[in-house]
Amino acid sequence: VMVWQIPDHIALRSITDPIVVLEGHSKRVGIISWHPTARNILLSAGSDNMIIIWNVGTGEALITLDDLHSDLIYNVCWNRNGSLICTTCKDKKVRVIDPREQRIIAEKLAPHEGMRPMRAVFTREGNIFTTGFTRMSQRELGLWDPKTFDEPIALQEMDTSNGVLLPFYDPDSNIVYLCGKGDSSIRYFEITDEPPYVHYISTFSSKEPQRGMGFMTKRGLDVSRCEIARFFKLHERKCEPITMTVPRKSDLFQDDLYPDTQGPDAALDAEEWMSGKNADPVLISLRDGYIPPKNRELKFAKKNMLDNKPPLGPRRSYSTCESNFSRVTMEELMDEIKSLKVIVQSQERRITELENKLSKFTNGTA
C-alpha cells in the first residue's frame, strides 16, 4: 500500500515517490478505507483474507485481523464513529467486527441467498444496508439491524442482471445510490424509520454502461447549484462527471439540503483511538462553500505522529513544499513569469525590426 500527497497548488515537478509504503500483505490489496474520525488510521484488505489497520504517520501496522475470514473479502465499511467495521465475504457471511478487540460482534449467514458477491455499508443509525442476489439470480437489497440479525428490517427484489450493485451512502440525507457494473443507470433510495423503510426515489439513466463509479465527498459539491451528489463514471477511455441536483428557484443557501457535514479535521489521534476512545465526526457548515484549511499536508515520521516538519530521507517528494512557500508566493511567481514573458516578446519584436533595417542597409535599399 502506497500513500501519496497530492498538493493543492500546481506541482513544480512530477510526483514520483510516495510519502510512505505500507508492507504487510502477502497478496494483492483490493480494499483501502480511511478511518472516519481518527487521524492517520488506514484500513487495508487483500486477497490473503487479511485486514490490516495502519498508522500512516509512523508506517506501522497497529492491528492485524488474519483469522476472522476464511475466504476472499468483498468489501469493508466503517461505522459512523469508527468503532466497528462491517465486512462481506465469499463465504456468504456479513460480519460486524470490533477491530480493537479483534473479535466478531455479530454475523449473518447468507442475508442474500444467491452465490454472487454481496456488498454492505453502515447507515447513520447503525443499521446495515446490503446488496446481493436471490437464489434465482435477481438483484436484491436489504436493511438489517446488527443487534437482531435474524430478520431483515426490509428486503426488496429489484431486477435480473449480472452486475453487482455498489452502494454509495450519503449519511447527511440518508440516501443510498446503487450503481451496477455494466449498468447504464443509477438508482437511489431514501432510508427512513417508516415502512417500507427503504423508499425508491428515482433512476438516472444514460446510454453507455459504466465500468466503475467514484463518489465525491460532500465538501466538493457546488452548493450554489443545489448539487447533492456527484459521481465519476468510468468509461473505456474517459471519466465522466455526473451531477445530481435539486431544482430550487431561490438563490439562497438551502439548509434542508445541506445540514452540517463531516469536515476534514480528525476528532481523535491514532493513540487515542487505539486506547479505546470513540468520537463522532467533526462537522462543518457548507453555507459559504467549503474552504480547505491552509495546512493539509500529510507528513510521515517514524515513531512520531504527523507534525509540521517536512519528511526526511530519500522518500521526500517535491509535492511536500516548505511551509513558507504558500499559495500567495506561487501567485507572485506566476505574475513575475507573465511580466517576463511580455518583456521577452517586446525584445523579440525590437530585434526583428533592427534585423530588417540592417538588411536594407546591406542591400543598399536604404
Side-chain angles (χ1 to χ4, degrees), residues 27 53 65 187-188 195 220 239 310 338-339:
K27 294 184 179 180
I53 297 177
L65 306 176
R187 298 179 178 89
Y188 37 109
C239 183
K338 290 179 182 178
S339 62

Side-chain angles (χ1 to χ4, degrees), residues 116-134:
R116 301 297 308 281
M118 298 181 295
R119 296 291 187 271
V121 293
F122 271 109
T123 67
R124 183 177 59 193
E125 291 78 15
N127 295 324
I128 296 176
F129 181 89
T130 62
T131 63
F133 292 81
T134 66

Side-chain angles (χ1 to χ4, degrees), residues 115-274:
M115 298 299 296
R116 301 297 308 281
M118 298 181 295
R119 296 291 187 271
V121 293
F122 271 109
T123 67
R124 183 177 59 193
E125 291 78 15
N127 295 324
I128 296 176
F129 181 89
T130 62
T131 63
F133 292 81
T134 66
R135 191 174 299 174
M136 303 302 293
S137 296
Q138 285 187 304
R139 294 196 291 193
E140 191 176 46
L141 60 84
L143 185 64
W144 308 81
D145 184 351
K147 298 177 182 178
T148 57
F149 244 147
D150 296 333
E151 294 294 330
I153 300 174
L155 197 63
Q156 299 180 18
E157 294 182 2
M158 295 182 60
D159 57 9
T160 302
S161 179
N162 293 327
V164 178
L165 288 172
L166 307 178
F168 296 92
Y169 176 68
D170 177 12
D172 298 333
S173 59
N174 240 4
I175 293 177
V176 60
Y177 302 86
L178 300 183
C179 311
K181 187 176 181 180
D183 290 357
S184 57
S185 61
I186 302 174
R187 298 179 178 89
Y188 37 109
F189 300 79
E190 183 180 9
I191 300 175
T192 67
D193 296 330
E194 301 176 355
Y197 303 106
V198 180
H199 304 264
Y200 171 75
I201 298 177
S202 185
T203 300
F204 168 84
S205 298
S206 58
K207 294 181 180 179
E208 298 184 22
Q210 57 237 14
R211 291 175 171 263
M213 195 70 72
F215 191 50
M216 169 67 77
T217 180
K218 210 62 171 291
R219 303 191 300 273
L221 302 183
D222 188 351
V223 297
S224 64
R225 297 176 54 234
C226 296
E227 183 182 15
I228 61 170
R230 185 187 306 169
F231 293 89
F232 296 95
K233 179 179 177 179
L234 180 63
H235 296 263
E236 184 176 358
R237 296 184 179 179
K238 66 178 181 179
C239 183
E240 175 192 4
I242 298 174
T243 60
M244 305 283 185
T245 59
V246 177
R248 294 287 173 90
K249 294 182 179 180
S250 175
D251 294 333
L252 300 176
F253 179 76
Q254 307 295 318
D255 297 88
D256 58 328
L257 296 182
Y258 302 105
D260 289 352
T261 190
Q262 183 172 350
D265 295 328
L268 298 171
D269 289 331
E271 287 83 358
E272 291 177 322
W273 181 76
M274 280 299 296

Side-chain angles (χ1 to χ4, degrees), residues 28 97 101 108 113 133 137 170 191 220 222 271 341-342:
R28 181 176 63 90
I97 300 171
E101 295 185 3
K108 173 68 176 178
E113 296 180 350
F133 292 81
S137 296
D170 177 12
I191 300 175
D222 188 351
E271 287 83 358
K341 284 183 178 180
V342 172

